[in-house]
């Protein structure tokens, strides 16, 4: 089938490469010409394991091309998958300006029948809006159908998730268009949920909100564990063994980040506000998450106040919102650095995806030192803060690493380390809810 994927970000590029691998003829269309140039040369402009090989293979086979001529790319295909960003506006609602712009481009260029699929995460009512909007703009209403097909991939596992989806949600009001999209994905063998637009849209938001709820829930329990000497890792394991609960998404820590959970929980709250539904749980998911950096930093400040009166030097291990991605959007590590900056002389950052200050949110701040080795990162540190569970941090020999630090204090924001091992190395181990070990 001929498919144009509009928007070549994390979702669009992964979807385009996977569909090409499945044998479809795919064009990745994006308004960002520099990005298109890189992608056309087989260079991935972001980090996503396994995707670069898949990209190169399909470009060489001739099944995948990229273009910044979005109108031409629209005309060349029968199926248009929209995967542009839907970031948060200041009031928490989703900003649909990129989607509106795509709608105008489609209206201006549509030449024959297209199934127009919204893959981006969009507020309830958006697919209906797109259908109505194009209905007004396109002279022949029979030239298109709109389908909601939300995406559930995780960054860092995007290729695997796209090839092995738990479910494929297809929402729409045209049986013919639904059949076409079922055919597009038929090799994936995933469970199908065929529904209307609004149901598909809400399945996506409810999924993300539920996962975020699990994280905020366990983070609240971790605070209770902390004050009572209980061990949150054993609690999460013990609770999760109930198959009705499940062990996943019960890792406590400095909170969730990324381009999805924070914005999607906010957008769902906004939608509910708009339609007069009072949300209690959704608001608390957010407020617990917002509070987590402070909960951890209070522990750090207590410990540092005992050893120094000087401005601090802090080592930050990991800046991305999770490992295996270069994505820093809404990363809790960034919130932690911003909160630490006023009290610090220096913040030394190590992240495998960052080579210089220009790749951080603080390109001109002389207090921010981007390092390349663990030794360089820990030099003169009053404390180290583990924010992201990159593999490379798992294997740090803290017996050796400690020698570089001024004050051997480690705040473990993700429960990566075994407290006894860190303490045996002569380091003060700080974490939340690690029982009587901290
Ligand atoms: N990142 C994820 O893990 C993930 C997972 C599931 C769903 N989603 C959702 O998918 C959508 C895309 O997310 P992303 O992380 O891939 O975004 P992204 O910011 O990485 O990429 C969006 C791309 O769209 C392009 N674009 C903007 N306007 C355009 C236009 N008018 N025409 C063509 N291209 C245009 C941008 O240049 C950019 O390359 C969002 O709604 C997001 O919530 C993301
Ligand atoms: O037990 C856990 C699990 C995750 N996290 C944090 O939660 C955030 C999000 O993690 P994850 O869900 O793995 O990453 P995303 O790539 O943002 O994927 C989520 O958001 C996507 C965009 O909507 C969805 O498609 C995915 O299904 C959904 O998992 C990260 O900061 C993690 O550190 C925790 O703190 N504890």
């Amino acid at each position: 089938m001929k498919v144009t994927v509009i928007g070549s970000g994390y979702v669009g590029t992964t979807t385009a490469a996977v569909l090409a691998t499945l044998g479809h003829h795919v064009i990745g269309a994006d308004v960002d010409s520099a990005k298109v140039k890189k992608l056309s040369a087989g260079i991935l402009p972001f980090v996503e394991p396994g995707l670069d090989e898949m990209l190169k293979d399909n470009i060489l086979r001739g099944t995948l091309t990229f273009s910044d001529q979005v109108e031409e790319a629209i005309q060349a295909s029968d199926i248009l998958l929209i995967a542009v960003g839907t970031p948060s506006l200041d009031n928490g609602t989703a900003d649909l300006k990129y989607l509106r712009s795509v709608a105008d481009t489609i209206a201006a260029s549509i030449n024959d029948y297209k199934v127009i699929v919204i893959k981006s995460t969009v507020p309830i009512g958006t697919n209906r809006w797109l259908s109505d909007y194009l209905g007004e703009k396109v002279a022949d209403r029979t030239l298109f159908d709109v389908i909601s097909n939300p995406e559930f991939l995780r960054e860092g596992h995007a290729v695997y998730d796209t090839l092995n989806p738990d479910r494929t949600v297809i929402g729409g009001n045209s049986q013919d268009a639904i059949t076409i999209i079922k055919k597009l994905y038929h090799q994936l063998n995933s469970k199908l949920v065929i529904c209307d637009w609004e149901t598909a849209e809400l399945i996506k938001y409810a999924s993300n909100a539920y996962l975020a709820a699990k994280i905020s829930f366990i983070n609240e329990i971790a605070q209770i564990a902390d004050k009572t000497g209980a061990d949150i890792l054993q609690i999460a394991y013990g609770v999760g063994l109930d198959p009705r609960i499940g062990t996943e998404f019960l890792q406590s820590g400095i909170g969730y980040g990324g381009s999805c959970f924070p914005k999607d929980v906010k957008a769902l709250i906004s939608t509910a506000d708009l339609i007069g539904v009072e949300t209690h749980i959704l608001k608390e998911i957010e407020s617990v998450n917002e509070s987590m950096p402070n909960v951890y930093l209070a522990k750090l400040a207590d410990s540092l106040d005992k050893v120094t009166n000087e401005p601090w030097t802090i080592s930050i291990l990991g800046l991305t919102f999770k490992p295996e991605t270069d994505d820093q959007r809404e990363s809790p590590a960034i919130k932690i650095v911003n909160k630490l900056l006023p009290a610090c002389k220096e913040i030394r950052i190590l992240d495998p995806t960052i080579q210089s200050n220009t790749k951080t949110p603080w390109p001109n701040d002389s207090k921010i030192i981007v390092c390349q080795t663990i030794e360089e990162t820990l030099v003169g540190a009053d404390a180290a803060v583990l924010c992201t569970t990159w593999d490379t941090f798992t294997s740090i020999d803290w017996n050796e690493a400690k020698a570089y630090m001024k004050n051997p204090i480690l705040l473990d924001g993700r429960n990566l380390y075994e407290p006894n091992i860190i303490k045996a190395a002569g380091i003060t181990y700080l974490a939340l809810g690690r029982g009587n070990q901290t």
Side-chain angles (χ1 to χ4, degrees):
M1 299 167 96
K2 288 186 186 166
V3 187
T4 291
V5 181
I6 305 172
S8 301
Y10 290 86
V11 169
T13 306
T14 308
T15 306
V18 166
L19 288 175
T21 301
L22 296 178
H24 300 297
H25 288 270
V26 186
I27 305 173
D30 202 293
V31 286
D32 181 339
S33 302
K35 201 179 236 186
V36 166
K37 204 169 167 195
K38 275 192 173 174
L39 286 164
S40 299
I43 300 164
L44 200 59
F46 50 86
V47 172
E48 187 56 52
L51 186 56
D52 37 6
E53 292 88 342
M54 196 178 242
L55 178 73
K56 286 191 192 87
D57 285 355
N58 284 296
I59 290 173
L60 285 176
R61 285 200 306 150
T63 48
L64 177 60
T65 55
F66 289 90
S67 172
D68 57 5
Q69 303 301 303
V70 183
E71 296 200 4
E72 280 174 24
I74 286 170
Q75 291 177 347
S77 292
D78 312 312
I79 298 173
L80 311 177
L81 296 184
I82 305 174
V84 295
T86 49
S88 290
L89 287 167
D90 285 345
N91 64 5
T93 57
D95 185 352
L96 296 179
K97 71 174 176 219
Y98 303 112
L99 181 73
R100 283 196 292 271
S101 155
V102 172
D104 287 334
T105 312
I106 293 174
S109 49
I110 194 162
N111 53 337
D112 52 17
Y113 178 75
K114 316 275 177 203
V115 181
I116 303 168
V117 181
I118 304 188
K119 216 165 216 325
S120 302
T121 305
V122 292
I124 299 130
T126 307
N127 281 270
R128 190 172 294 280
W129 166 81
L130 181 63
S131 180
D132 291 347
Y133 185 75
L134 290 177
E136 284 166 20
K137 294 235 160 186
V138 177
D140 182 356
R141 177 65 190 79
T142 62
L143 276 186
F144 68 90
D145 283 302
V146 171
I147 291 287
S148 169
N149 171 225
E151 178 53 59
F152 298 96
L153 66 78
R154 298 160 297 169
E155 287 180 22
H157 303 265
V159 171
Y160 177 86
D161 288 350
T162 310
L163 281 168
N164 303 278
D166 300 317
R167 74 290 214 193
T168 301
V169 176
I170 305 176
N173 58 5
S174 153
Q175 281 314 313
D176 290 346
I178 289 171
T179 304
I180 291 171
I181 299 309
K182 275 163 81 173
K183 200 168 154 208
L184 177 72
Y185 295 125
H186 81 277
Q187 295 163 80
L188 294 179
N189 226 351
S190 85
K191 291 194 180 97
L192 294 180
V193 183
I194 308 295
C195 52
D196 57 38
W197 288 319
E198 288 75 14
T199 305
E201 290 163 341
L202 192 46
I203 286 174
K204 175 61 195 177
Y205 279 104
S207 301
N208 274 1
Y210 190 78
L211 292 170
K214 280 188 98 173
I215 299 169
S216 282
F217 178 82
I218 203 68
N219 280 338
E220 196 158 281
I221 300 294
Q223 293 174 64
I224 298 172
D226 198 61
K227 298 273 188 219
T228 53
D231 178 5
I232 193 61
L233 293 193
Q234 286 187 304
I235 294 166
Y237 178 65
V239 169
L241 284 177
D242 183 332
R244 293 171 302 174
I245 298 173
T247 48
E248 294 207 40
F249 276 73
L250 288 179
Q251 288 161 33
S252 60
I254 52 177
Y256 61 75
S259 65
C260 295
F261 288 174
K263 96 169 158 61
D264 293 347
V265 173
K266 280 189 183 70
L268 188 53
I269 293 170
S270 298
T271 299
D273 281 350
L274 215 67
I275 55 178
V277 175
E278 180 66 34
T279 50
H280 304 280
I281 294 175
L282 294 176
K283 285 181 184 142
E284 289 309 316
I285 295 170
E286 256 218 305
S287 67
V288 170
N289 196 56
E290 287 297 316
S291 72
M292 292 317 294
N294 283 341
V295 169
Y296 275 83
L297 289 177
K299 287 192 167 238
L300 184 65
D302 272 359
S303 203
L304 282 168
D305 286 346
K306 290 182 191 134
V307 293
T308 178
N309 296 318
E310 303 289 310
W312 308 329
T313 294
I314 304 288
S315 310
I316 297 288
L317 306 184
L319 199 65
T320 53
F321 82 99
K322 68 173 192 178
E324 306 304 328
T325 179
D326 58 343
D327 201 339
Q328 298 176 17
R329 290 179 281 185
E330 297 289 326
S331 174
I334 290 174
K335 291 183 197 158
I336 284 189
V337 172
N338 280 330
K339 286 174 189 290
L340 281 169
L341 265 169
C344 284
K345 185 171 69 184
E346 251 180 30
I347 297 193
R348 306 178 71 82
I349 298 174
L350 181 63
D351 187 289
T353 64
I354 300 172
Q355 274 71 49
S356 74
N357 276 32
T358 57
K359 299 279 182 209
T360 73
W362 314 276
N364 303 314
D365 193 326
S366 58
K367 284 187 190 175
I368 301 285
I369 318 284
V370 170
C371 304
Q372 303 309 323
T373 64
I374 186 66
E375 292 79 7
E376 194 193 337
T377 313
L378 294 177
V379 164
D382 292 301
V385 182
L386 183 286
C387 294
T388 316
T389 55
W390 284 101
D391 265 355
T392 167
F393 301 144
T394 314
S395 52
I396 294 172
D397 179 343
W398 284 100
N399 281 301
E400 282 180 18
K402 179 191 144 189
Y404 297 93
M405 301 177 75
K406 190 164 145 211
N407 290 302
I409 297 173
L410 173 60
L411 176 68
D412 184 352
R414 295 287 182 189
N415 296 331
L416 181 67
Y417 298 111
E418 200 45 61
N420 287 334
I421 294 177
I422 303 298
K423 283 197 288 186
I427 294 172
T428 303
Y429 179 79
L430 306 174
L432 190 70
R434 296 302 296 274
N436 295 318
Q437 303 181 79
T438 50

